[in-house]
Amino acid sequence: MNIILLGPPGAGKGTQARVLVDERDMIQLSTGDMLREARSSGTEMGKVVAEVMDKGGLVTDEIVIGLIREKLEGEKKGGFIFDGFPRTLAQADALADLLADMGEALDAVVELQVEEEALVARIVGRSTCGNCGEVYHDVTKPIPADGKCANCGGTEFKRRADDNEESLKTRLMEYYKKTSPLIGYYYAKDDLRRVDGLAEMSEVKRQIDEILSN
Ligand code: AP5
């Protein structure tokens, strides 16, 4: 099963992708994570990527499609979860071609719908475990009182450089301008399924499970 999790920054794509990885043995392909890895490599490409990401812009289609292509050549397991990819119509076309070359298809595009005010609160309160990447939130999913990650016991937690109101404004603008046209693109292909991303995490999960079991 291959699915896309589509939604604005802070919609809960990463949170739900991790659950699907655990429960369905799927592979999470997060272009955000891949780009953060590229930036920490210190290469020339990494420096360009870092500058774009910190401002909240989109990295070029060429770089992102290249990263995804490499990952698709690896193991498949229970299928792929595309998290934060595609983000432009060119990326969506490229993904369709890549999957077709592999004899694969998309099973669903799950749109997580969340209003803008909630996104700001989610983004500014987010932290992740530096060891396993488990996602926390100061209010809705606080780090356990013993200071240890509930998933791996790690004790270091990070906040992202682009998780501030200024970058978020640009990220949202990019989303509405370049990514939201994908809603129509996948609707026309009858692949689009909508989920109330404002609901509790467990309820969002239940709605996604229902979509995937149909
Ligand atoms: P990326 O890392 O993909 O970030 P994003 O799309 O902005 O999404 P986020 O990771 O911020 O949010 P999320 O939806 O995963 O939410 P999460 O589950 O963490 O991209 C970063 C940058 O990389 C981009 O700006 C761009 O520069 C570049 N980039 C990446 N992909 C690209 C591409 N394809 N093309 C070009 N450039 C690309 O949840 C957020 C918070 O809310 C957490 O604290 C969580 O605990 C909480 N939360 C989650 N669900 C709920 C819920 N139901 N109720 C209450 N709280 C919740």
Side-chain angles (χ1 to χ4, degrees), residues 111-124:
E111 183 199 353
L112 298 169
Q113 297 183 307
V114 180
E115 287 160 14
E116 209 170 305
E117 305 85 80
L119 298 174
V120 179
R122 285 189 183 181
I123 289 290
V124 298

Side-chain angles (χ1 to χ4, degrees), residues 88-130:
T88 62
L89 291 169
Q91 291 179 20
D93 285 338
L95 177 60
D97 290 345
L98 286 168
L99 288 173
D101 287 349
M102 296 164 67
E104 292 282 330
L106 263 184
D107 294 283
V109 177
V110 179
E111 183 199 353
L112 298 169
Q113 297 183 307
V114 180
E115 287 160 14
E116 209 170 305
E117 305 85 80
L119 298 174
V120 179
R122 285 189 183 181
I123 289 290
V124 298
R126 171 169 57 186
S127 59
T128 52
C129 171

Side-chain angles (χ1 to χ4, degrees), residues 7-16 30-33 35-36 52-53 56-60 64 83-87 91 122-123 125-127 135-137 140-141 160 162-163 171 197-201 204:
K13 305 181 292 294
T15 300
Q16 296 299 329
S30 157
T31 40
D33 287 347
L35 290 166
R36 278 182 283 281
V52 176
M53 286 178 88
L58 288 192
V59 174
T60 62
V64 173
D83 163 9
F85 179 89
R87 257 173 155 101
Q91 291 179 20
R122 285 189 183 181
I123 289 290
R126 171 169 57 186
S127 59
V135 187
Y136 291 94
H137 187 276
T140 55
K141 188 179 167 188
R160 274 168 44 178
D162 59 344
D163 274 356
R171 284 159 69 191
L198 270 175
E200 299 253 323
M201 292 177 208
V204 178

Side-chain angles (χ1 to χ4, degrees), residues 35-36 38-40 42-57 59 63 161-162:
L35 290 166
R36 278 182 283 281
R39 66 182 285 172
S40 62
T43 59
E44 276 313 306
M45 190 263 259
K47 285 179 198 156
V48 174
V49 163
E51 202 176 321
V52 176
M53 286 178 88
D54 286 352
K55 287 189 186 143
V59 174
I63 290 180
D162 59 344

